Amino acid sequence: MNEQLERIYSNYQGKQEELIPILQRVQETFGYLPEGAIASIARFARVPEANVYAVATFYAQFRFSPIGRNHIMVCRGTSCQVRGAPRILESLEKRIGVREGETSKDLEYSVETVACIGACGLSPCIMVNKKVEAKLSPRKIAELFPAKQVAE
Amino acid sequence: MKQLEAARKRAEADWTKLRESQPLVMVGTATCGRSAGAVEVLNALAVEAKRRKLVVKFIEVGCIGSCYSEPIVCVQRPGEPAVVYGNVDTKSAVQIVAAHLGNGEPLAAHALGTLGEGSFDGIPNLWMQPFFRPQVRRVLRRCGFIDPRSLDHYLATDGYKGLEKALSMAPEAIISEVERAGLRGRGGAGFPTFRKWRFCREAPSEQKYLICNADEGDPGAFMNRSVLESDPHAVLEGMIIAGRAIGASTGYVYCRAEYPLALERLRASIADAESMGILGNDVLGSGFSFHIEVKEGAGAFVCGEETALIASIEGHRGMPRTRPPFPAISGLWGKPTIINNVESLASVSLILQNGAAWYAEVGSEKSKGTKTFALVGKVRHTGLVEAPMGITLREMIYDIGGGILDDKPLKAVQTGGPSGGCIPASLIDTPVDYDSLNALGTIMGSGGLVVMDEDTCAVDFARYFLDFARQESCGECVPCRLGTTQLMQILEDITRGRGTPSDIDLLVEMGEAVKKGSLCGLGQTAPNPVLTAIRYFREEFEDHVLRNRCPAAVCKEIISAPCMHACPIDTQAATYISLIAEGRLAEAFDVILADNPLPSVCARVCHHPCEDKCTAGKWGKPIAIRALKRFATDAAKAAGIYPDKKREPRRGEKVAIVGSGPAGLMAGYQLARSGHDVTIFESLPVVGGALAVYIPAYRLPREQLADDIRHIQNAGVQIETGVTIGVDISFAQLRERYRAIFIATGAHAPSAMRIPNEDAEGVIPAMAFLKDTALGNEISIGKRIAVVGGGNAAIDAARSALRTRGVEQVTILYRRTRKEMPAFEEEIEAALEEGVRIEYLVAPVRVLADSGRLEGVECLRMELGPLDASGRRRPVPIEGSEFIVELDTLMPAIGERADTPFLPDSIEKTRWDTIATCSETFATNLEGVFAGGDVVTGPDTVIEAMAAGKIAASMIDRYLRGDPVRRSYSFVRPSLYLPGVTLTDEEIESADRPKMERIPVSRRIHHDVEDEIGLARDQAVAEARRCLRCDLETEHACEALRRQAGDAP
């Protein structure tokens, strides 16, 4: 991990204003903010760890645990809400067996809800990694995702 | 500057050549296009063109804004108008290449419109289409028509001309130009842009900053995203101009990380601008230095607020700071800073390019110019639009938006995102500008307009916004941090059925406090959604806290299943459906019978409000609940378990009911079950009221009705036919002999058409004809019949007339179109199948009579005029369009009135001659006298009449026992929860609503032959299994299932 972090730091000077971009690059590299990364960044920027934690925990973008290979963001923006997003979330949770805020044990899927992905004209929508899937219905959810394996 | 001039000349030449040298195909691949499949379409087009060896230039462009028709492809052959195609998929892509590019014949079927000079047959001009016509596209004018990654395209379309002008002006002159234009901040607050600039200009400092706020966090807003993806240079140009005006040398674009494409395009455009000398130490050789850097947001809505945004750029948590000092004086790193919205900056380039007078030529008095809006929600044409300030909501929704999906009535429009509020349908003529919206308690915000219909719950919607505000609150100040949490919790409680009456005023009080005490705009506006919801939809809040009802059928803990909640008599639809799914038919019937003593009737003629609210119907077809009820009822009869056995009548208080229609029968049944001595008086020789004499037998066979009546009589209800109150017994005598009276005589006096000669012989009210047919009286109506009206009575009369001997032709004359006809859809279809002719948009104006006998009717053609308050278009007569229809009989069916000659003058009536009652208890002003059904409401449905009978019966019961006559409202809950079935993959694939079959038209010759064929057993079970079992989603259900499974609660 340290090597990758050093590579990121080489683009910066360690100023307070670079904190968010650095955190963003670290998360891009590892998929989340791994344990020890915060301490390392604090040392590089010469600020207290609490300072870095404050920033990292304030912004919704940053996560401290890994996400699935297929990270699903269900939009709960206004237009999606009016066009049935809660039902889409339910059918998704039922279909893949992963609830909002959770990651599946095999790290295949993780689900979160987001405030608005900006494709309101085509609501309801979700994003799977970087791809937007729009104009959804429970049937479309069944087409997009295989049914969860029944684990007894 | 010279370098730019040369580049522009070359770009303009290339731009013209682009269209002249070969066919050009533009595909919209911004975020919306991509999510609709534009990249696959582009590939399909390219592959097919290559296969046909066609030389074509492909360009990827941004968004023209009509999201509802994505993916969009524009095809132009040299010398011809361009054709814009919508909803293109890989299949139609291939067809477009073949037809338009290969054969020179555009595909009109897929075309949205043409652009430019000239036209093609059958394809209108794009800008004349309803979605585009009212728009004035200035900020959006390049979006969808240039390659956003090409600086050349920007230059060729007048790009950077505004900057050139600005560089030749003094900074104060630039500010004055923006002042004259009247530009107000497009980010939300609408603060005059020039004023902020001037404060900053006057602040003494060497270093100043210009920040473009591209954080666009309002859910439902994507205007800024579209401009950044489709025309990024327009924003950069505005930034450089602004920088010059205020004296800043560094600019930042703060763009949210959730917009990866926008970030990519911004960065590329900045690099291109730098290499052309448009950005750098010496902008276009003017000596002015300006650099732009991109900063990514990290997912915090509060960072759309100026001081929080500044904190974020500085690398801190996005917590706002107190103002003063304002950013214009002391902002980023303490230096004078101006923050402007993306659209404000794009407008600045236009103002400098075309002048302030041009800019201010559209818009309203205090809100000049155009504004982009994101029109989303329940409209047909969702998308990004740009219109002059002052356009009304009505024009937005019905002209541009194409009206509400499924033509449902409009409920409200949400403006300004989570900082704004809702505007009810009654205020639909409100002009959209800053001050008009502020006056209503909402704000323009960034321009999001979310359209809601009756299926959106005002309480739940307010809760949704408060939840958003609570999550996004930065936590710094107490009123916002705790206030939004408390407001959200109270709203959450209300939506879960735990609200109390005092909660509503508490929300208002607390909301005002949060507004006053919060440090920044987030907290100051967070209560707006709930304050406006209470202001305009207070009764809906009261429904939740006082009556345990959610009219929109959204709040799950309150409604259990929407079908049950929607049923006026609380039938447990989800329960009996789940029993049918398991083949437990007898139990299913028991559940039906528990709430409904007229199952055979409702199974055939109910207008099924349950199906209208069915969740399965939101993404497909609703469950065929009425058909399932019929299946269970027919099965119960076949099994001999219905009608059931006679019960020992208990003799309690004596109650008289006047009228044996659905209201009277239901009331009598309930009162008998409560132990009272009930007698129903019916003046006709048959029992059933409208069920027996107005609803035709082919819809409700007499034997079926007889079964239900026997069931009711078995419960102890006595029915005396041939007794007319006011003739055989006086009302006063009735009051002496009976302790309570329920009046349920219905509404069947015909309304007059109010045209000359309508009393001629041969003009027979539809209701009179139906009654005569039902009673077996002599009917002589000739061969040619016309029925006037569009409701169920008209259709019933028309279909009955066709079944009458001698009749050859039946025509319905209706003054609006089929869409507006209030009759049940199934009935209209059946009528058309049987050969009834329907003439739309006609109205009779004169009966033509000879010696007092009808010969025909003179009609006038109508056209639909503007929308009235109910959202329907009023019919407007077309001058000089009179025509004559020759007839033997004319049957008006244009509405019925209540008529109660037997009641004393002392009874209070409404101005429509219906009986005035307390809306909750059905009590009249006379002691011990209650009324319900059509005699109170005017013509309404069977199930509503039954509901009135049921409630009135419980009120009469209380009255007789000496208890306070007051409604109590309880939650509708299933009496039994069955675990859900698991559908096979094949079922999920193929399950669909079965079509209700009717017997062939050739067999529909007698009134008595029932035309609907019920479902077969396998159809019924399959349909019951398709039910989504919304009843299982409450806490109550989960509890019950846990207990049933044997776990400890």
Side-chain angles (χ1 to χ4, degrees):
Chain A
M1 176 177 82
N2 283 319
E3 230 182 78
Q4 289 162 298
L5 288 174
E6 288 302 325
R7 243 202 310 272
I8 293 172
Y9 299 157
S10 63
N11 294 313
Y12 296 97
Q13 291 158 351
K15 297 197 277 194
Q16 177 80 32
E17 71 200 68
E18 294 165 338
L19 219 40
I20 293 172
I22 290 174
L23 286 163
Q24 286 169 332
R25 300 291 87 74
V26 172
Q27 180 155 295
E28 254 166 46
T29 307
F30 296 100
Y32 65 112
L33 299 175
E35 206 173 319
I38 301 292
S40 165
I41 295 171
R43 275 196 299 279
F44 173 64
R46 287 182 300 274
V47 295
E49 250 179 81
N51 186 321
V52 183
Y53 261 120
V55 172
T57 51
F58 182 86
Y59 293 96
Q61 189 183 29
F62 300 121
R63 1 167 221 276
F64 291 87
S65 59
I67 48 169
R69 280 182 287 280
N70 293 293
H71 182 62
I72 306 167
M73 287 163 279
V74 181
C75 180
R76 49 176 171 76
T78 317
S79 184
C80 290
Q81 178 80 5
V82 161
R83 284 211 187 195
R87 198 95 209 173
I88 299 296
L89 176 61
E90 265 169 45
S91 51
L92 175 68
E93 287 176 335
K94 274 204 189 108
R95 186 75 178 160
I96 62 175
V98 178
R99 310 204 62 177
E100 182 193 341
E102 292 174 0
T103 308
S104 61
K105 281 206 179 56
D106 58 3
L107 291 185
E108 184 65 27
Y109 295 112
S110 50
V111 179
E112 70 168 325
T113 61
V114 293
C116 180
I117 56 183
C120 316
L122 300 166
S123 48
C125 312
I126 60 173
M127 271 182 90
V128 184
N129 297 333
K130 288 217 155 112
K131 188 160 191 281
V132 178
E133 303 284 356
K135 284 193 180 152
L136 294 171
S137 64
R139 180 171 284 187
K140 284 231 184 81
I141 294 286
E143 283 167 17
L144 286 168
F145 300 99
K148 68 173 179 227
Q149 308 305 352
V150 179
E152 279 309 335
Chain B
M1 207 84 82
K2 281 233 183 64
Q3 186 194 12
L4 188 67
E5 264 171 48
R8 192 197 297 284
K9 271 213 176 59
R10 199 195 31 178
E12 282 168 351
D14 286 343
W15 183 251
T16 317
K17 223 172 16 155
L18 189 59
R19 285 166 176 72
E20 286 176 357
S21 48
Q22 78 275 292
L24 177 64
V25 174
M26 303 196 285
V27 181
T29 56
T31 302
C32 279
R34 274 166 206 241
S35 50
V39 173
E40 288 80 5
V41 165
L42 174 56
N43 289 338
L45 289 164
V47 162
E48 182 64 12
K50 189 159 175 202
R51 200 180 69 81
R52 289 171 174 268
K53 300 192 176 19
L54 297 167
V55 174
V56 178
K57 178 99 175 96
F58 286 96
I59 301 185
E60 290 185 51
V61 297
C63 230
I64 65 172
S66 54
C67 304
Y68 67 95
S69 60
E70 290 279 2
I72 294 175
V73 174
C74 180
V75 177
Q76 184 171 25
R77 300 195 337 154
E80 290 177 7
V83 177
V84 179
Y85 294 98
N87 294 113
V88 183
D89 57 23
T90 48
K91 237 178 44 192
S92 50
V94 170
Q95 291 167 355
I96 289 170
V97 173
H100 192 160
L101 291 167
N103 291 337
E105 282 158 15
L107 277 184
H110 295 277
L112 291 174
T114 58
L115 289 169
E117 293 283 319
S119 64
F120 285 111
D121 269 336
I123 307 179
N125 182 283
L126 184 72
W127 303 129
M128 288 298 113
Q129 290 287 40
F131 179 78
F132 288 106
R133 184 141 67 167
Q135 293 193 44
V136 174
R137 298 170 66 86
R138 293 176 162 188
V139 167
L140 296 183
R141 75 183 175 96
R142 291 190 194 89
C143 298
F145 298 105
I146 61 163
D147 180 346
R149 293 166 298 190
S150 164
L151 174 54
D152 278 355
H153 282 198
Y154 190 69
L155 290 173
T157 52
D158 298 323
Y160 288 116
K161 282 189 177 164
L163 175 60
E164 286 178 320
K165 185 93 100 36
L167 290 173
S168 70
M169 293 161 74
E172 182 50 50
I174 300 175
I175 299 179
S176 298
E177 190 72 2
V178 171
E179 178 178 5
R180 269 196 303 278
L183 177 66
R184 290 169 71 165
R186 293 293 195 253
F191 190 79
T193 308
F194 80 91
R195 205 173 288 161
K196 256 192 342 197
W197 284 10
R198 196 164 277 151
F199 287 141
C200 187
R201 161 126 218 103
E202 288 161 3
S205 176
E206 281 298 311
Q207 175 70 270
K208 296 183 190 177
Y209 296 103
L210 187 283
I211 301 177
C212 169
N213 187 342
D215 195 51
E216 192 168 56
D218 278 4
F222 55 100
M223 299 72 74
N224 294 167
R225 173 176 66 70
S226 293
V227 172
L228 290 167
E229 290 175 355
S230 309
D231 191 10
H233 281 285
V235 182
L236 299 180
E237 183 176 356
M239 286 180 73
I240 308 171
I241 295 172
R244 171 143 173 93
I246 64 175
S249 57
T250 307
Y252 290 98
V253 182
Y254 185 87
C255 178
R256 55 190 301 222
E258 294 89 336
Y259 286 173
L261 189 57
L263 284 162
E264 188 188 306
R265 301 245 160 113
L266 271 170
R267 292 188 167 115
S269 303
I270 290 170
D272 285 348
E274 282 167 349
S275 50
M276 190 61 71
I278 296 170
L279 283 169
N281 292 329
D282 185 15
V283 175
L284 295 179
S286 65
F288 170 56
S289 166
F290 197 73
H291 297 262
I292 297 181
E293 207 186 300
V294 174
K295 287 283 187 181
E296 275 181 48
F301 173 75
V302 69
C303 287
E305 196 276 338
E306 292 190 329
T307 59
L309 194 161
I310 286 172
S312 183
I313 293 182
E314 291 175 357
H316 300 296
R317 295 188 289 178
M319 285 180 152
R321 300 165 183 168
T322 51
R323 295 174 293 175
F326 288 90
I329 312 298
S330 169
L332 189 56
W333 294 300
K335 305 292 180 209
T337 306
I338 285 295
I339 301 184
N340 282 138
N341 170 265
V342 165
E343 189 178 340
S344 306
L345 291 165
S347 304
V348 163
S349 3
L350 287 172
I351 291 172
L352 267 296
Q353 183 193 318
N354 298 303
W358 168 87
Y359 187 80
E361 139 196 301
V362 297
S364 63
E365 204 200 308
K366 297 222 193 98
S367 304
K368 292 291 178 203
T370 58
K371 175 85 188 74
T372 59
F373 297 96
L375 184 61
V376 297
K378 295 295 190 75
V379 276
R380 286 204 169 84
H381 299 157
T382 51
L384 179 61
V385 308
E386 186 173 1
M389 291 277 204
I391 187 173
T392 64
L393 284 173
R394 186 192 289 276
E395 289 169 278
M396 270 290 184
I397 296 169
Y398 290 100
D399 294 339
I400 297 179
I404 312 284
L405 283 173
D406 296 327
D407 287 316
K408 289 191 172 172
L410 170 70
K411 180 165 178 171
V413 180
Q414 165 75 17
T415 72
S419 312
C422 58
I423 300 176
S426 54
L427 295 171
I428 199 184
D429 288 302
T430 304
V432 181
D433 64 31
Y434 291 107
D435 305 302
S436 306
L437 294 182
N438 290 351
L440 294 179
T442 178
I443 64 172
M444 166 104 63
S446 57
L449 295 170
V450 186
V451 178
M452 302 177 277
D453 64 14
E454 66 198 7
D455 295 328
T456 309
C457 172
V459 184
D460 181 65
F461 209 51
R463 180 201 59 80
Y464 161 81
F465 281 122
L466 258 304
D467 193 25
F468 177 83
R470 179 190 62 85
Q471 287 185 49
E472 297 294 337
S473 168
C474 75
E476 187 174 349
C477 71
V478 169
C480 177
R481 183 175 80 242
L482 296 185
T484 55
T485 305
Q486 271 292 276
L487 287 169
M488 203 279 296
Q489 278 178 354
I490 296 172
L491 284 165
E492 178 90 22
D493 277 349
I494 295 177
T495 61
R496 297 183 81 89
R498 296 194 290 253
T500 67
S502 56
D503 281 345
I504 303 176
D505 289 327
L506 181 59
L507 285 169
V508 174
E509 198 188 323
M510 201 181 294
E512 302 286 353
V514 171
K515 275 177 83 87
K516 278 199 207 125
S518 296
L519 178 59
C520 83
L522 191 153
Q524 287 157 7
T525 59
N528 285 346
V530 64
L531 291 173
T532 51
I534 292 174
R535 176 168 164 179
Y536 298 115
F537 295 99
R538 193 179 187 112
E539 196 174 317
E540 197 165 344
F541 278 77
E542 288 172 353
D543 276 336
H544 282 69
V545 302
L546 296 174
R547 295 181 272 269
N548 291 328
R549 286 201 68 78
C550 173
V554 167
C555 297
K556 285 192 188 164
E557 291 297 329
I558 292 181
I559 66 170
S560 183
C563 51
M564 289 173 52
H565 192 72
C567 179
I569 61 170
D570 302 331
T571 299
Q572 298 177 44
T575 313
Y576 76 74
I577 293 171
S578 63
L579 286 163
I580 293 175
E582 292 196 6
R584 290 155 68 172
L585 303 183
E587 289 169 81
F589 183 69
D590 280 342
V591 169
I592 294 169
L593 204 57
D595 294 293
N596 192 340
L598 293 163
S600 320
V601 170
C602 292
R604 287 165 174 79
V605 306
C606 187
H607 74 294
H608 46 73
C610 49
E611 293 186 26
D612 295 337
K613 285 293 189 194
C614 175
T615 307
K618 297 212 155 74
W619 285 284
K621 306 231 186 60
I623 304 299
I625 304 177
R626 175 171 75 76
L628 288 174
K629 177 188 260 120
R630 177 167 162 182
F631 172 73
T633 307
D634 287 351
K637 293 192 199 189
I641 62 175
Y642 181 76
D644 48 5
K645 291 201 285 282
K646 217 172 158 77
R647 252 170 274 233
E648 260 320 301
R650 285 172 285 169
R651 295 281 173 237
E653 298 283 2
K654 288 172 68 104
V655 181
I657 296 180
V658 186
S660 68
L665 287 172
M666 171 66 110
Y669 177 78
Q670 300 291 354
L671 285 164
R673 293 281 300 273
S674 303
H676 299 294
D677 183 351
V678 184
T679 308
I680 300 181
F681 293 99
E682 169 56 54
S683 73
L684 290 177
V686 296
V687 177
L691 303 174
V693 300
Y694 295 128
I695 297 183
Y698 58 81
R699 285 179 65 199
L700 178 58
R702 298 303 160 223
E703 327 79 80
Q704 299 291 341
L705 174 61
D707 284 338
D708 288 352
I709 293 171
R710 192 162 346 129
H711 167 65
I712 291 173
Q713 287 173 312
N714 286 351
V717 176
Q718 296 143 106
I719 307 180
E720 293 191 26
T721 55
V723 178
T724 305
I725 307 301
V727 171
D728 302 304
I729 308 178
S730 75
F731 191 69
Q733 286 171 312
L734 216 55
R735 287 190 80 187
E736 276 170 38
R737 298 183 204 170
Y738 295 90
R739 270 211 65 204
I741 301 176
F742 181 56
I743 303 169
T745 49
H748 28 83
S751 298
M753 285 188 288
R754 283 197 261 273
I755 58 178
N757 292 331
E758 72 177 298
D759 50 357
E761 205 188 309
V763 179
I764 302 176
M767 303 302 268
F769 163 68
L770 288 168
K771 192 196 296 192
D772 282 336
T773 304
L775 293 174
N777 297 343
E778 174 99 16
I779 311 241
S780 163
I781 53 177
K783 299 189 195 154
R784 300 158 304 171
I785 318 295
V787 179
V788 183
N792 289 311
I795 304 282
D796 286 341
R799 294 181 70 196
S800 292
L802 265 186
R803 288 163 170 74
T804 303
R805 194 141 36 106
V807 170
E808 288 176 3
Q809 189 189 91
V810 178
T811 309
I812 291 180
L813 305 170
Y814 180 56
R815 62 197 196 118
R816 288 184 159 106
T817 71
R818 175 150 177 191
K819 256 186 5 180
E820 285 91 19
M821 278 183 106
F824 302 156
E825 191 53 40
E826 304 112 54
E827 286 296 306
I828 302 174
E829 271 171 35
L832 291 170
E833 251 177 22
E834 289 161 15
V836 171
R837 272 182 31 221
I838 308 185
E839 286 252 17
Y840 299 102
L841 293 168
V842 304
V845 292
R846 199 152 55 95
V847 169
L848 302 165
D850 183 19
S851 319
R853 227 251 148 231
L854 166 86
E855 300 225 304
V857 69
E858 186 179 292
C859 300
L860 204 56
R861 295 216 180 267
M862 316 290 271
E863 59 185 352
L864 289 181
L867 292 162
D868 67 13
S870 73
R872 295 203 297 171
R873 294 191 179 279
R874 295 191 73 236
V876 170
I878 301 178
E879 296 281 327
S881 65
E882 288 86 349
F883 65 102
I884 293 175
V885 183
E886 287 177 7
L887 297 170
D888 298 310
T889 300
L890 179 68
M891 295 186 188
I894 54 171
E896 297 76 43
R897 298 175 300 107
D899 185 27
T900 50
F902 61 94
L903 289 174
D905 290 335
S906 52
I907 195 148
E908 203 185 311
K909 290 203 189 153
T910 68
R911 62 187 169 97
W912 300 284
D913 257 350
T914 53
I915 302 179
T917 54
C918 165
S919 61
E920 301 228 324
T921 64
F922 293 90
T924 68
N925 63 314
L926 299 180
E927 172 81 21
V929 178
F930 297 75
D934 287 7
V935 76
V936 168
T937 60
D940 204 334
T941 61
V942 167
I943 197 74
E944 287 293 346
M946 289 170 66
K950 181 173 181 179
I951 298 167
S954 72
M955 294 297 107
I956 293 170
D957 180 53
R958 296 182 71 95
Y959 172 74
L960 293 172
R961 291 182 199 289
D963 292 334
V965 178
R966 206 175 38 220
R967 289 285 288 279
S968 65
Y969 296 93
S970 54
F971 292 113
V972 175
R973 291 276 179 260
S975 53
L976 155 71
Y977 289 102
L978 266 67
V981 299
T982 311
L983 293 183
T984 64
D985 277 337
E986 205 211 299
E987 279 180 294
I988 297 181
E989 248 328 285
S990 59
D992 202 1
R993 180 184 167 114
K995 190 162 168 20
M996 179 56 103
E997 298 292 345
R998 293 175 194 263
I999 58 177
V1001 174
S1002 55
R1003 285 181 48 207
R1004 301 183 209 170
I1005 26 185
H1006 292 300
H1007 291 99
D1008 303 319
V1009 178
E1010 183 171 15
D1011 69 329
E1012 244 185 30
I1013 305 172
L1015 297 177
R1017 189 190 170 107
D1018 59 331
Q1019 284 179 302
V1021 173
E1023 181 64 353
R1025 283 168 66 85
R1026 197 168 70 88
C1027 168
L1028 298 178
R1029 299 300 309 283
C1030 309
D1031 62 314
L1032 295 179
E1033 289 168 21
T1034 57
E1035 281 170 2
H1036 188 249
C1038 293
E1039 262 295 308
L1041 287 174
R1042 261 200 302 274
R1043 269 202 305 274
Q1044 279 165 211
D1047 296 318

